[in-house]
Amino acid sequence: DGGITQSPKYLFRKEGQNVTLSCEQNLNHDAMYWYRQDPGQGLRLIYYSQIVNDFQKGDIAEGYSVSREKKESFPLTVTSAQKNPTAFYLCASSPGTVSTEAFFGQGTRLTVV
Amino acid sequence: AQSVAQPEDQVNVAEGNPLTVKCTYSVSGNPYLFWYVQYPNRGLQFLLKYITGDNLVKGSYGFEAEFNKSQTSFHLKKPSALVSDSALYFCAVRDTSGTYKYIFGTGTRLKVLA
């Protein structure tokens, strides 16, 4: 089946730790995105990548890092610099054409313990 | 700056009644508009989109949306609501200024009451 897979579904992080969220797609999409979802705030863009080996900061990039070494993979690292990382994280991908919708993964819920 | 507004945090409707979830947008140039639905602890599912053409767009699960250029609105509608339609709904616009980001509204929680 074609799709976008996020893992793990649940993740717990201790204070001061870095953690990496995985996002893999087999849709052959050029663009990939990371969003953070908090109650009442909708989806806020963290990072996005329009092509392999290139990515740009979104609206709330501080405390996060990404890489795009392969077309199908766009991992997100939540660093210790992110002061309030507890949230639901969503990865999405889309083809290169402007009229197409984004396809979303099932999300990763990160909790700081 | 391009943006999307969903003015209602929550909409309540009785089962069998028509429903409307509101969305207004602000873009430069032609708008590319999308509606998504989210069930608890799940990703977003695409419902429908407006790119060009007919102002009434039909989508999945009996939903439709009406594009109104003069009012810069893209309201989601369904003629007869089901309890299973209860979920969080997001309107989005595609940034056409060069980044091609998707910009989302804050979401509207729909509750369909039996």
Side-chain angles (χ1 to χ4, degrees):
Chain A
D1 282 336
I4 181 164
T5 302
Q6 290 187 242
S7 62
K9 189 172 175 66
Y10 298 96
L11 187 57
F12 298 90
R13 189 194 95 168
K14 292 182 180 178
E15 298 269 359
Q17 275 186 338
N18 293 353
V19 291
T20 298
L21 283 59
S22 171
C23 179
E24 304 276 333
Q25 54 101 357
N26 61 3
L27 300 168
N28 200 34
H29 287 171
D30 287 317
M32 296 187 75
Y33 312 82
W34 274 106
Y35 290 90
R36 170 177 171 145
Q37 184 177 14
D38 297 283
Q41 295 197 49
L43 273 66
R44 293 184 291 167
L45 183 64
I46 305 172
Y47 269 97
Y48 64 104
S49 168
Q50 292 178 293
I51 199 168
V52 176
N53 293 322
D54 187 43
F55 50 83
Q56 288 79 40
K57 293 182 179 180
D59 302 316
I60 56 165
E62 185 175 351
Y64 300 97
S65 65
V66 294
S67 63
R68 187 84 189 276
E69 298 175 0
K70 298 186 296 182
K71 187 175 187 178
E72 59 269 24
S73 180
F74 192 41
L76 173 74
T77 296
V78 184
T79 75
S80 57
Q82 171 49 239
K83 296 307 177 191
N84 184 22
T86 294
F88 192 52
Y89 291 86
L90 288 160
C91 180
S93 70
S94 70
T97 50
V98 68
S99 62
T100 47
E101 61 273 20
F103 294 73
F104 280 81
Q106 293 302 297
T108 292
R109 185 165 296 282
L110 174 63
T111 303
V112 173
V113 296
Chain B
Q2 306 192 68
S3 64
V4 169
Q6 294 181 243
E8 302 155 318
D9 289 336
Q10 182 162 317
V11 170
N12 295 329
V13 63
E15 187 175 30
N17 282 4
L19 70 87
T20 298
V21 182
K22 295 179 180 177
C23 172
T24 58
Y25 65 89
S26 173
V27 300
S28 54
N30 293 324
Y32 295 87
L33 297 159
F34 305 84
W35 274 104
Y36 288 84
V37 62
Q38 185 183 35
Y39 296 98
N41 294 311
R42 305 297 298 272
L44 274 64
Q45 295 178 34
F46 170 72
L47 283 177
L48 50 78
K49 64 184 176 184
Y50 174 83
I51 303 303
T52 187
D54 195 348
N55 289 342
L56 186 63
V57 179
K58 294 192 182 296
S60 306
Y61 313 118
F63 283 94
E64 57 192 27
E66 186 169 12
F67 172 70
N68 188 315
K69 188 173 183 177
S70 63
Q71 296 185 8
T72 61
S73 67
F74 188 54
H75 299 334
L76 182 70
K77 298 173 186 278
K78 188 174 183 182
S80 178
L82 300 172
V83 172
S84 57
D85 293 329
S86 299
L88 189 56
Y89 290 81
F90 288 98
C91 182
V93 64
R94 194 90 189 260
D95 181 358
T96 55
S97 65
T99 67
Y100 299 112
K101 298 181 293 186
Y102 296 87
I103 301 164
F104 286 84
T106 51
T108 298
R109 187 164 300 282
L110 173 67
K111 277 196 171 181
V112 181
L113 307 168

